């Protein structure tokens, strides 16, 4: 009896102690918050996705796209901060009793410097289970005259779907179009992206970093992200800046005789340090490109873009507005539009285009004119229930006009004249619970109206339609022991489409509704100081686009007749991706392996016919559906042979099967390999010189379905590129003079993923020179 009473008293004492501990912890809560910003020591630019760890709390955070990290609801004690980011030296600092709660931390570049004008594909971020790559600001700036897809194509797993030399769409692990979402400054890019000849209406010069997340990522960003996500991260608004900072880039290129300009201006408010602003504008103009043997007539480009942002950052809240305008005119290869069947057959079998003229800056029909306006209003409310609330409203106006060769009064009238207006609203709650659980929950809504402007004199290729999308999601991440992170999330989306079309001369309004769930389960393990492993399984889906359902006529920019199918079902995918990263001193290896099963995969299949129209004869393509299986390997290796000499190797391999037909899948990138060698050295007084050479090997794509294309795939090719730069500081000015020489041996070749490979070779040698001038 005494033993029982003693045991009872012991349990009672333990209970009282636990109750008092809990009571004290609630009675005296740790409610102190700290915030820091991590920047580069040399350029003072933000460093996103750096890992910040507090050892005493066993808790980590990752800096956002503006280089900012936050720890909320902690006690005022001494803490040790450990900061890591590949490409920079590790940094450790001690916070003594938290005398202040805001910090700016500068990182030095580490001993491992991947080629500065290339891609920093990997960086440690143990809280993410998804494979990703990062293109830094220097890589964007050194290619600023190129479009988005061409800037990204050197990342392993990335390739380009082209329509001539001026129109490019990014491909992620074999998938493209609406299967790859583009997030531009926090909102989904919504434009006329339903054609292979419709390049993203984005000026990459607004970005500080561009991230590529590989694999289905529909939980946070919504349906359609089956192939991956490209995130355009703009430079942060410069709060607390009293001075004005400027940056100017000017370049000239030999092929197309292109000139390009980009200027940026930013600063703060002397009277109010909480206010910041920035302005940016870019322009480029090029004439006809040329292949090694002939001119590519009517392939010029002219582009004018501008953007601006204004924001205020207070202790409890932050708000900013952003506006950008993208405007471009693109020439369509004249030889892609043929007047009769005999000439078309000759063009398909000829080694030269059907039309070759002297160089000109004039852009004649056929051509495209595209404008895209974006307005964004962002509000962030800080310190709400262990987290913060985000409200984002976006409006996008996209106009597309396509002009055909018309020898009537309609010569100056567009054959296709579309306007797409999109309103989007996103509300998200980001939270941190129990020091090691971080998550996000949110809802989103998108409302779209697509309208054909009357007066074209042609039946629209795509009918008018209204679309409404609604979704909500929950994503949670659990971290422990500074080594392992688990990630779990799900999302529900519903999309309604109402189409306005004609059937036997009568207006009909068919409606379509699609709904499904996306999910993700993954984890990452920081095995040792040098090894990271990420693995994640995800499901995604994509409703068919209106063009896939209703296209019925000539697609002028693509120079083909496209036919939709109203019976198409929504696509559904399951994806498993795995990434292994090793980084130690002068060595870096990154291996990414994926498998993906897609049910009801939609693709554009060439038909065995040519069709006559009043504007000529064109090949016919029909939207089909099948079950597909894709697998692939991306590899990056980099090593400093001796301190100034670096060797880099990349490889991308994709295998894709049509399961239904037991055959290969059409329009899949061929195997690609690159070998690069760079030599860089620093000389006194802050000067740096770099020279490099790159060898590319693209194999013939012999894994194609038989008799499903007008011509067999072209032969593979080898190509050599060179580049170099000279960096120096003078007073408060940073200058960089650089050059690039692409296809230095002027090799003639055709790219399998170029829609106009039927008619002409790719462009030949191109030498460009660029000046970058930054005033800090």
């Amino acid at each position: 009896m005494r033993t029982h009473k003693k045991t009872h008293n012991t349990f009672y004492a333990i209970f009282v102690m636990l109750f008092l501990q809990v009571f004290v912890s609630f009675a005296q809560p740790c409610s102190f918050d700290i915030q820091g910003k991590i920047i580069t020591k040399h350029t003072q630019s933000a460093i996103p996705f750096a890992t910040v760890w507090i050892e005493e709390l066993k808790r980590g955070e990752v800096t956002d796209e503006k280089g900012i990290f936050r720890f909320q609801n902690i006690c005022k004690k001494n803490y040790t901060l450990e900061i890591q980011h590949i490409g920079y030296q590790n940094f450790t600092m001690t916070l003594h009793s938290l005398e202040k709660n805001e910090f700016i931390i500068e990182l030095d570049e580490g001993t491992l410097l991947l080629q500065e004008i290339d891609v920093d594909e990997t960086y440690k971020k143990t809280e993410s289970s998804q494979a990703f790559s990062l293109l830094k600001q220097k890589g964007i700036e050194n290619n600023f005259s190129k479009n988005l897809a061409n800037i990204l194509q050197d990342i392993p797993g990335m390739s380009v779907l082209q329509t001539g030399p001026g129109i490019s769409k990014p491909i992620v692990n074999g998938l493209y179009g609406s299967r790859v979402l583009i997030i531009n400054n926090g909102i989904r890019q919504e434009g006329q992206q339903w054609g292979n000849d419709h390049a993203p209406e984005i000026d990459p010069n607004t970005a500080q970093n561009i991230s590529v997340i590989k694999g289905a990522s529909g939980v946070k960003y919504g349906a359609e992200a089956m192939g991956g996500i490209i995130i355009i991260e703009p430079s942060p608004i410069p709060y607390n800046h009293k001075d004005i900072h400027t940056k100017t880039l000017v370049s000239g290129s030999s092929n197309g005789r292109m000139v390009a300009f980009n200027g940026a201006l930013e600063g703060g408010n002397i009277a109010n340090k909480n206010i910041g602003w920035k302005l940016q504008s870019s322009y480029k103009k090029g004439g006809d490109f040329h292949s090694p043997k002939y001119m590519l007539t009517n392939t010029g480009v002219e582009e004018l873009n501008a953007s601006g942002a204004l924001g205020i950052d207070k202790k409890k809240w932050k708000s900013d507005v952003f506006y950008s305008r993208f405007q471009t005119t693109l020439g369509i290869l004249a030889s892609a539009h043929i007047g009769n069947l005999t000439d078309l057959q000759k063009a398909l079998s000829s080694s030269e285009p059907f039309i070759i003229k002297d160089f000109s800056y004039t852009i004649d029909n056929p051509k495209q004119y595209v404008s895209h306006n974006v307005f964004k209003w962002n509000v962030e409310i800080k310190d709400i229930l262990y987290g913060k609330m985000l409200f984002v409203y976006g409006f996008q106006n996209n106009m597309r006009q396509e002009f055909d060769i018309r020898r009537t009064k309609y010569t100056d009238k567009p054959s296709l004249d579309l306007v797409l207006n999109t309103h989007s609203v996103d509300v998200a709650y980001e939270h941190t619970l129990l020091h090691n659980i971080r998550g996000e929950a949110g809802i989103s809504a998108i409302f779209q109206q697509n309208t054909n402007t009357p007066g074209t004199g042609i039946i629209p290729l795509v009918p008018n339609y209204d679309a409404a999308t609604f979704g909500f999601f929950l994503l949670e991440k659990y971290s422990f022991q500074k080594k392992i992170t688990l990630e779990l999330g799900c999302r529900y989306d519903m999309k309604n489409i109402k189409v306005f079309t004609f059937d036997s001369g009568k207006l009909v309004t068919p409606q379509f509704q699609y709904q499904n769930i996306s999910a993700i389960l993954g984890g990452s393990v920081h095995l040792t100081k040098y090894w990271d492993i990420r693995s994640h399984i995800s499901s995604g889906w994509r409703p068919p686009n209106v063009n896939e359902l209703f296209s019925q006529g000539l697609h002028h920019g693509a120079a083909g007749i496209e036919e939709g199918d109203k019976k198409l079902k929504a696509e559904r995918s399951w994806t498993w991706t795995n990434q292994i990263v090793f980084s130690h001193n002068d060595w870096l290896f990154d291996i990414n392996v994926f498998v993906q099963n897609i049910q009801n995969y939609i693709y554009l299949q060439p038909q065995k016919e040519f069709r006559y129209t009043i504007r000529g004869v064109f090949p016919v393509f029909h939207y089909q559906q099948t079950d597909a299986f894709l697998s692939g390997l991306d590899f990056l290796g980099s090593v400093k042979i001796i301190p100034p000499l670096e060797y880099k190797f990349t490889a991308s391999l994709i295998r894709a099967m049509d399961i239904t037909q037991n055959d290969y899948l059409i329009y899949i990138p061929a195997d690609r390999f690159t070998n690069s060698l760079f030599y860089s050295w620093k000389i006194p007084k802050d000067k740096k010189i770099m020279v490099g050479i790159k060898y590319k090997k693209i194999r013939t794509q012999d894994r194609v379905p038989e008799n499903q294309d007008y011509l067999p795939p072209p032969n593979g090719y080898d190509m050599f590129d060179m580049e170099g730069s000279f960096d120096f500081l003078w007073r408060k000015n940073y200058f960089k003079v650089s050059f690039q020489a692409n296809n230095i041996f002027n090799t003639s070749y055709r790219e399998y993923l170029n829609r106009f490979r039927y008619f002409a070779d790719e462009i030949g040698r191109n030498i460009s020179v660029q000046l970058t001038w930054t005033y800090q």
Side-chain angles (χ1 to χ4, degrees):
M1 187 71 181
R2 289 179 181 177
T3 302
H4 174 75
K5 185 176 181 180
K6 184 178 181 180
T7 303
H8 176 78
N9 291 336
T10 301
F11 284 143
Y12 178 79
I14 293 175
F15 174 78
V16 171
M17 291 174 61
L18 290 174
F19 175 81
L20 289 175
Q21 182 175 352
V22 172
F23 176 80
V24 171
S25 65
F26 278 90
Q28 298 178 349
C30 296
S31 58
F32 197 74
D33 298 340
I34 62 173
Q35 174 177 303
K37 182 176 182 179
I38 301 178
I39 61 176
T40 62
K41 188 173 183 179
H42 178 60
T43 65
Q44 301 292 296
S45 59
I47 302 177
F49 308 120
T51 301
V52 184
W53 180 264
I54 296 183
E55 178 63 27
E56 291 78 5
L57 297 177
K58 302 298 181 184
R59 174 178 165 188
E61 297 288 340
V62 176
T63 58
D64 60 19
E65 68 275 5
K66 299 177 182 179
I68 295 174
F69 67 90
R70 295 182 180 88
F71 288 88
Q72 297 176 323
N73 302 310
I74 64 176
C75 299
K76 284 191 174 184
K77 297 180 180 179
N78 293 341
Y79 295 112
T80 302
L81 261 66
E82 300 176 6
I83 302 172
Q84 290 184 342
H85 193 297
I86 285 184
Y88 297 91
Q89 295 180 5
N90 293 345
F91 182 86
T92 302
M93 67 178 294
T94 302
L95 306 179
H96 296 284
S97 300
L98 299 179
E99 295 91 349
K100 59 180 182 178
N101 64 346
E102 292 188 1
F103 309 88
I104 295 180
I105 302 171
E106 297 180 342
L107 295 189
D108 283 325
E109 293 182 347
T111 56
L112 175 62
L113 291 176
L114 297 182
Q115 178 203 359
E116 284 190 300
I117 66 171
D118 208 338
V119 181
D120 181 8
E121 283 88 356
T122 57
Y123 45 87
K124 291 182 181 178
K125 180 187 170 190
T126 56
E127 64 103 36
S128 174
S129 66
Q130 294 187 268
F132 57 89
S133 301
L134 175 68
L135 180 63
K136 292 183 177 180
Q137 187 174 21
K138 290 182 179 180
I140 300 169
E141 290 178 354
N142 283 287
N143 296 275
F144 84 96
S145 62
K146 298 179 181 179
N147 58 35
L148 176 66
N150 288 329
I151 287 178
L152 297 175
Q153 66 177 335
D154 285 336
I155 297 177
M158 297 291 296
S159 47
V160 178
L161 183 70
Q162 295 176 268
T163 305
I167 302 174
S168 305
K169 296 173 73 75
I171 302 177
V172 182
N173 286 343
L175 299 180
Y176 54 86
S178 59
R179 299 184 187 96
V180 177
L181 285 186
I182 298 178
I183 307 300
N184 185 14
N185 197 7
I187 61 177
R188 285 177 43 147
Q189 179 81 3
E190 297 288 348
Q192 304 287 355
Q193 286 297 307
W194 36 260
N196 291 346
D197 64 317
H198 297 174
E201 304 93 347
I202 289 178
D203 178 12
N205 294 299
T206 62
Q208 182 182 49
N209 298 292
I210 302 177
S211 304
V212 178
I213 300 176
K214 302 174 182 177
S217 308
V219 169
K220 183 174 181 179
Y221 298 104
E224 300 176 341
M226 292 173 52
I229 298 176
I230 298 172
I231 302 177
I232 312 295
E233 304 163 3
S235 60
I237 296 176
Y239 302 108
N240 299 315
H241 281 213
K242 297 181 180 180
D243 300 325
I244 293 177
H245 305 274
T246 65
K247 178 173 290 185
T248 303
L249 298 93
V250 181
S251 77
S253 303
S254 61
N255 203 320
R257 305 179 193 179
M258 180 182 291
V259 293
F261 166 85
N262 181 60
L265 189 69
E266 63 180 31
N269 188 304
I270 297 177
N272 190 338
K273 68 177 183 179
N274 301 112
I275 295 177
W277 57 271
K278 58 179 183 176
L279 299 171
Q280 176 269 338
S281 181
S282 66
Y283 173 79
K284 67 181 178 182
K285 182 178 179 62
D288 295 333
F289 292 92
H290 62 80
S291 75
K293 297 179 180 179
Y294 45 77
M295 197 67 65
L296 301 172
T297 301
N298 199 50
T299 54
V301 58
E302 185 170 11
E303 186 176 303
L304 177 63
N305 310 308
S307 67
L310 175 66
I312 181 169
D313 188 359
K314 307 293 281 187
K315 185 177 181 180
K316 294 294 184 180
W317 59 274
K318 179 168 63 175
S319 179
D320 59 79
V321 292
F322 170 82
Y323 171 78
S324 69
R325 176 175 174 81
F326 174 93
Q327 177 181 304
T328 186
T329 302
L330 297 162
I332 303 298
L333 181 71
S335 299
H337 286 239
I338 307 297
N340 57 69
L341 181 58
T342 302
D343 289 343
L344 177 59
Q345 291 174 335
K346 287 182 179 179
L348 291 175
S349 61
S350 175
S351 59
E352 294 187 353
F354 193 75
I355 300 172
I356 301 177
K357 297 181 180 180
D358 293 335
F359 173 85
S360 174
Y361 279 106
T362 302
I363 301 176
D364 293 320
N365 296 353
K367 65 182 179 182
Q368 296 181 1
Y369 171 80
V370 181
S371 68
H372 191 86
N373 297 277
V374 177
F375 172 79
K376 174 195 171 185
W377 178 36
N378 177 76
V379 177
E380 176 184 323
I381 301 178
K382 309 172 187 178
D383 303 328
I384 294 182
L385 298 176
Y386 306 103
K388 62 181 180 180
M389 293 290 295
L390 302 173
F391 302 87
V392 180
Y393 166 76
F395 171 74
Q396 300 176 66
N397 168 263
N398 182 255
M399 183 180 73
R400 170 173 292 276
Q401 294 179 328
E402 298 186 3
F403 296 82
D404 199 4
I405 301 174
R406 307 166 77 181
R407 299 173 179 84
T408 65
K409 63 179 180 179
Y410 292 101
T411 300
D412 297 326
K413 290 282 187 179
S415 301
L416 183 70
D417 195 348
L418 288 169
V419 177
L420 176 67
N421 290 321
T422 304
H423 298 267
S424 62
V425 179
D426 295 274
V427 181
Y429 167 57
E430 298 180 2
H431 55 269
T432 301
L433 303 175
L434 303 177
H435 303 304
N436 53 6
I437 297 179
R438 299 176 62 246
E440 185 175 357
I443 60 175
S444 63
I446 300 174
F447 304 94
Q448 290 184 313
Q449 185 177 57
N450 186 81
T451 305
N452 284 274
T453 303
T456 63
I458 296 176
I459 297 176
L461 174 66
V462 178
N464 296 345
Y465 66 87
D466 296 338
T469 304
F470 173 78
F472 58 88
F473 74 94
L474 176 64
L475 183 64
E476 297 291 335
K477 300 173 184 178
Y478 173 67
S479 303
F480 58 97
Q481 296 181 354
K482 196 182 176 181
K483 293 182 179 293
I484 300 175
T485 298
L486 300 179
E487 185 176 22
L488 176 65
C490 63
R491 180 186 180 103
Y492 168 81
D493 281 289
M494 177 179 66
K495 184 170 186 176
N496 292 293
I497 303 173
K498 183 177 182 180
V499 179
F500 302 87
T501 187
F502 288 89
D503 185 4
S504 301
K506 295 182 179 180
L507 177 66
V508 294
T509 57
Q511 299 188 45
F512 302 83
Q513 184 180 90
Y514 306 93
Q515 55 183 333
N516 216 320
I517 294 175
S518 306
I520 181 175
L521 172 63
S524 62
V525 180
H526 188 45
L527 286 179
T528 68
K529 185 177 181 180
Y530 311 116
W531 288 92
D532 282 289
I533 298 177
R534 302 181 183 91
S535 179
H536 99 291
I537 299 174
S538 58
S539 67
W541 69 286
R542 182 184 76 93
N545 294 331
V546 172
N547 68 296
E548 296 168 333
L549 297 169
F550 284 95
S551 287
Q552 197 68 38
L554 177 61
H555 193 159
H556 308 278
I561 293 173
E562 298 180 2
E563 297 177 335
D565 185 348
K566 294 187 287 291
K567 298 180 181 179
L568 293 177
K569 301 177 182 179
E571 296 179 338
R572 180 73 180 178
S573 78
W574 292 89
T575 309
W576 183 25
T577 64
N578 299 273
Q579 186 179 31
I580 301 175
V581 180
F582 171 80
S583 175
H584 178 50
N585 294 334
D586 296 335
W587 293 83
L588 173 65
F589 296 100
D590 178 359
I591 303 173
N592 177 37
V593 180
F594 76 93
V595 293
Q596 185 171 25
N597 179 272
I598 304 178
Q599 299 173 354
N600 303 320
Y601 177 84
I602 301 171
Y603 66 100
L604 196 59
Q605 183 186 60
Q607 303 298 296
K608 298 179 181 179
E609 65 171 303
F610 298 101
R611 189 171 299 172
Y612 289 94
T613 72
I614 60 173
R615 292 173 298 283
V617 61
F618 297 92
V620 180
F621 300 84
H622 185 75
Y623 282 101
Q624 304 271 21
Q625 201 157 41
T626 188
D627 291 340
F629 182 82
L630 294 86
S631 60
L633 166 70
D634 303 328
F635 176 82
L636 163 71
S638 177
V639 59
K640 283 285 189 70
I641 301 174
I642 55 176
L645 185 64
E646 180 184 4
Y647 169 73
K648 180 178 175 182
F649 173 77
T650 65
S652 295
L653 310 174
I654 299 177
R655 302 292 180 263
M657 295 294 298
D658 182 334
I659 300 175
T660 305
Q661 303 296 328
N662 192 27
D663 202 349
Y664 296 112
L665 204 62
I666 198 170
Y667 303 137
I668 297 298
D671 297 343
R672 297 169 182 267
F673 308 89
T674 63
N675 291 272
S676 307
L677 199 61
F678 302 97
Y679 191 89
S680 61
W681 66 98
K682 292 184 177 181
I683 54 181
K685 297 183 179 179
D686 298 316
K687 297 179 178 66
K688 183 178 179 181
I689 298 176
M690 185 278 294
V691 293
I693 187 169
K694 181 184 295 183
Y695 164 63
K696 299 179 182 178
K697 173 71 175 180
I698 288 80
R699 298 183 59 187
T700 303
Q701 179 54 290
D702 49 12
R703 297 176 177 85
V704 297
E706 294 184 3
N707 303 318
Q708 282 198 22
D709 207 342
Y710 297 107
L711 290 176
N715 294 328
Y717 57 92
D718 302 89
M719 185 181 299
F720 287 87
D721 300 335
M722 289 186 64
E723 54 196 78
S725 64
F726 174 48
D727 303 52
F728 62 95
L729 290 172
W730 183 64
R731 296 183 180 179
K732 289 186 176 182
N733 297 269
Y734 165 73
F735 293 94
K736 182 172 187 176
V737 180
S738 59
F739 79 92
Q740 294 187 30
N742 302 113
N743 193 5
I744 58 178
F745 294 118
N746 213 24
T747 302
S748 296
Y749 69 99
R750 298 195 181 191
E751 172 61 54
Y752 172 63
L753 293 176
N754 191 334
R755 182 74 171 262
F756 286 168
R757 68 178 174 85
Y758 303 125
F759 310 107
D761 292 343
E762 300 291 327
I763 67 172
R765 182 188 299 115
N766 183 36
I767 299 175
S768 60
V769 179
Q770 177 177 314
L771 171 66
T772 302
W773 174 22
T774 304
Y775 176 78
Q776 295 284 355

